[in-house]
Amino acid sequence: MNAQVQFPDGFRWGAATAAYQIEGAASEDGRADSIWDVFARQPGAVWQGQDGSVACDHYHRYEDDVDLMRELSLGTYRFSTSWARVVPDGTTVNRQGLDFYARLVDTLLDRGITPWLTLYHWDLPQALEDRGGWPARETADRFVDYALAVHDALGDRVRHWATLNEPWCAAFHGYAGAHHAPGQADPVASLRAAHHLLLAHGQAVRALRERDPDASLGLTLNFTDTVPLDPDREGDRDAARRVDGTANRFFVEAVTRGAYPQDVLTDLADVWPEDLVQEGDLETIATPIDVLGVNYYATQAVTGPDPERAAEAARQARAFDEPSPNVGSEHVRAVRRGIPVSDMGWEISADALRELLLRLQRDYTGPRGIAMVVTENGMACDDRPDADGFVDDQERIAYLDAHVRAAHEAIEQGADLRGYLVWSLMDNFEWAFGYAKRFGIVRVDYDTQRRTPKASARWWARLASTGVLPGT
C-alpha cells in the first residue's frame, strides 16, 4: 500500500512537447528544412518513411491545444521554438515564425499557463548543417544570434528559458550513432558536436543574462540509470562507469564544474580532437544557471570485458560493428534482465529516479544552488483505443504514480525539485520511430487530428490541480 503524499505549495505541474514532433506546417510562413526534414527523406531512416511535415498540426490548432491544457489543469507548458522556423537560412530572422510563438505565448498566458521555452530540441536548420553543423564552431555563434532573436520577441512575457534539450542525443545519436538527424557515423564529429552544443549553451546563457538578468535560465539533460550487470565483476563495473561517463557526467560536470571528467577523456583518447577545447571554453560552458531540467525514463544493466582489454575492445567495435552513440564505449553491451519495460523496450525503475535526483543534488546542483525540474518523464505504451478513441492506459498511470512518488521521496530527502512535467502532452512524431510509439496522455488520431484525453490525462489533471497523490 502507498500512502497519500502532498507536494509543496508552488510545485510546478505541466506537460512537455517539442516543435518538430507536433507543429507540422513544415513549409509554411517561411519555415525551411531542418536536419530532421532532410533526414526523414532518407530511405529507411524513419519507420515507414514518416516525417513531421504534418505531425499533430499544432501550428494550426494551438488555441484548441492550449484550451485542452487548461482543461487538464496544467500550470506549465514546456515547448520548443523551431530554429528552422525562426531563422530558416541560419542567419536571417523570419518574423512570421516569431509571430507564431508570440501568438502561442499570449494564448498560454491568457489561459493562466506558464510558458517554459526550450530554444533547441534537435531541429538545426539544414542551411547550418550544410555549413558544418554542430561539429563546426560557428554554429555555436549562430545559436546565440537565434536565442537573442527569440528573446527580443518573447522576453517580455517568457520568464523560463532552456537553451538545449538533451545534447547527448543531438551529438551522439546524430553524429556517431546515425540513428538521429543528420544521420552521421563519425565519432570525432560527435565529440566536436557535443562540445559546441555545450559552448552554445554557455554563450547563450551569458548573452541572455546580460539582456535579462531576472530571467530563469538553464538547460535540460537526459540521464539514464546505468548499472553493472554483475556488480562483483570488474568488467561490468567498468562498462557502467564508461557509459555513465559519456551519457551523464560528461555534460553535467562541464555545466556545473567547468571540466570534462578525466576518466571520460581517457576513455575517449583515441578519438578526442586535440584542437577542440579552446581557452575560456569551459569557463563559458560553466556560466551559472538557475535550473537544471532532468529528463529521465529508464534504467539499464551493462556488461563489458576486463578494464585492461576495454580500450582495444572499443577500437574493434568502432571499426567493425554497427555505429554506436556510446563513443569510447562501443564495446559495452546492455543486457535485458527480464524486468518490466515500456513499449520502447526501456527497462523501468522508479527508484532510480529518486537516486538520480539525490545524486544530482549531492554532487552537482546542490553545491551550486541550482534548482531542478523533471522536464520529461513518461512511458510509451501500446495504447488500444475503444470505439470512441478513449484509451484506458492504466499501465502508464502506474508508471507515473511510481515515478512521482519517487520524486517526492527525493524531495523529502533534500532534493531541491521544483516541478514535474510529463512527456508528453499528446502523441506525436517519435523521431526515428515515426508515429509507431505513443507517449501522450492525450491520444491523437493522426487521420482526423482528433484529440482524446486518456485515463492518464484525467489522472494527471487531478494531481496537477491538487498537488496530492492519493494513497493506493
Side-chain angles (χ1 to χ4, degrees):
M1 298 291 291
N2 290 313
Q4 175 176 295
V5 297
Q6 172 75 58
F7 278 79
D9 291 342
F11 194 82
R12 187 179 299 279
W13 298 101
T17 65
Y20 189 72
Q21 293 181 270
I22 67 166
E23 284 181 2
S27 58
E28 292 186 37
D29 295 336
R31 185 188 180 279
D33 278 349
S34 75
I35 54 175
W36 268 97
D37 296 280
V38 173
F39 181 69
R41 296 183 194 124
Q42 299 177 17
V46 177
W47 187 75
Q48 293 190 348
Q50 295 170 344
D51 60 38
S53 58
V54 176
C56 304
D57 196 32
H58 175 72
Y59 189 81
H60 300 113
R61 301 168 186 264
Y62 71 92
E63 289 185 280
D64 290 340
D65 289 338
V66 175
D67 285 339
L68 180 56
M69 295 177 214
R70 181 174 61 175
E71 178 186 332
L72 296 177
S73 301
L74 303 184
T76 297
Y77 176 51
R78 175 177 175 253
F79 66 97
S80 72
T81 48
S82 167
W83 194 348
R85 193 179 298 283
V86 174
V87 192
D89 63 359
T91 57
T92 307
V93 174
N94 172 33
R95 175 51 57 180
Q96 287 180 294
L98 284 172
D99 287 346
F100 166 69
Y101 296 110
R103 294 192 299 272
L104 173 61
V105 167
D106 288 344
T107 305
L108 289 166
L109 293 173
D110 182 64
R111 307 300 195 270
I113 300 169
T114 299
W116 187 292
L117 190 152
T118 299
L119 287 161
Y120 186 69
H121 200 129
W122 308 351
D123 48 0
L124 183 72
Q126 183 62 36
L128 289 179
E129 180 62 31
D130 292 341
R131 286 154 53 181
W134 283 113
R137 191 178 179 93
E138 180 205 1
T139 304
D141 297 328
R142 300 291 74 76
F143 179 76
V144 177
D145 296 340
Y146 157 62
L148 292 177
V150 177
H151 186 272
D152 285 345
L154 305 177
D156 60 330
R157 288 155 288 168
V158 175
R159 309 311 301 142
H160 300 275
W161 297 77
T163 53
L164 309 175
N165 178 79
E166 298 186 350
W168 182 87
C169 293
F172 293 118
H173 269 312
Y175 289 94
H179 182 64
H180 281 189
Q184 295 187 24
D186 183 343
V188 175
S190 75
L191 293 172
R192 291 189 181 278
H195 180 67
H196 294 148
L197 278 155
L198 287 171
L199 183 63
H201 155 75
Q203 291 180 169
V205 169
R206 283 189 173 181
L208 291 169
R209 185 79 72 196
E210 181 178 353
R211 185 77 61 88
D212 188 352
D214 296 327
S216 176
L217 306 176
L219 82 166
T220 285
L221 302 178
N222 56 301
F223 297 90
T224 297
D225 175 57
T226 302
V227 299
L229 180 64
D230 181 353
D232 295 326
R233 187 172 175 277
E234 190 176 7
D236 290 2
R237 293 196 302 272
D238 183 67
R241 177 198 61 78
R242 283 172 170 267
V243 174
D244 177 69
T246 50
N248 299 330
R249 290 184 289 119
F250 181 91
F251 294 94
V252 73
E253 293 195 9
V255 169
T256 63
R257 297 180 178 177
Y260 293 123
Q262 187 55 54
D263 67 308
V264 174
L265 295 178
T266 299
D267 295 340
L268 298 171
D270 287 348
V271 288
W272 186 263
E274 292 185 5
D275 64 341
L276 179 56
V277 180
Q278 298 184 15
E279 184 176 357
D281 281 4
L282 290 168
E283 181 182 2
T284 298
I285 290 169
T287 299
I289 60 173
D290 303 299
V291 179
L292 175 66
V294 177
N295 289 2
Y296 172 80
Y297 292 95
T299 181
Q300 63 178 349
V302 295
T303 187
D306 292 339
E308 60 268 20
R309 295 192 288 118
E312 179 57 30
R315 282 192 289 271
Q316 292 177 5
R318 197 177 305 127
F320 299 109
D321 296 347
E322 292 296 315
S324 170
N326 294 316
V327 177
S329 305
E330 292 91 344
H331 63 294
V332 172
R333 183 168 58 93
V335 180
R336 295 196 177 278
R337 292 169 285 177
I339 65 177
V341 298
S342 71
D343 196 42
M344 298 291 287
W346 298 343
E347 293 187 340
I348 297 169
S349 172
D351 289 344
L353 173 58
R354 179 190 62 243
E355 296 308 309
L356 168 63
L357 294 171
L358 292 173
R359 176 190 183 188
L360 292 171
Q361 179 71 30
R362 180 187 66 244
D363 296 342
Y364 304 113
T365 59
R368 288 151 190 86
I370 301 169
M372 292 183 286
V373 170
V374 173
T375 39
E376 289 184 25
N377 175 248
M379 182 185 185
C381 295
D382 183 19
D383 292 337
R384 302 297 176 93
D386 64 17
D388 296 321
F390 177 73
V391 176
D392 188 17
D393 53 341
Q394 294 300 316
E395 186 179 12
R396 181 176 287 112
I397 291 174
Y399 174 99
L400 291 171
D401 182 274
H403 284 75
V404 171
R405 289 182 187 279
H408 187 268
E409 291 169 2
I411 293 172
E412 288 188 316
Q413 296 177 44
D416 184 12
L417 183 68
R418 308 283 184 88
Y420 206 118
L421 312 180
V422 67
W423 185 271
S424 175
L425 172 66
M426 54 187 163
D427 297 333
N428 53 48
F429 178 78
E430 186 50 42
W431 308 113
F433 294 97
Y435 297 97
K437 305 298 182 181
R438 292 179 178 264
F439 277 88
I441 59 172
V442 174
R443 174 177 169 79
V444 177
D445 181 324
Y446 295 116
D447 293 328
T448 65
Q449 292 295 340
R450 179 187 176 195
R451 276 79 156 135
T452 306
K454 305 174 188 178
S456 60
R458 302 307 180 193
W459 183 89
W460 192 259
R462 288 191 295 272
L463 176 59
S465 64
T466 64
V468 175
L469 198 57
T472 58

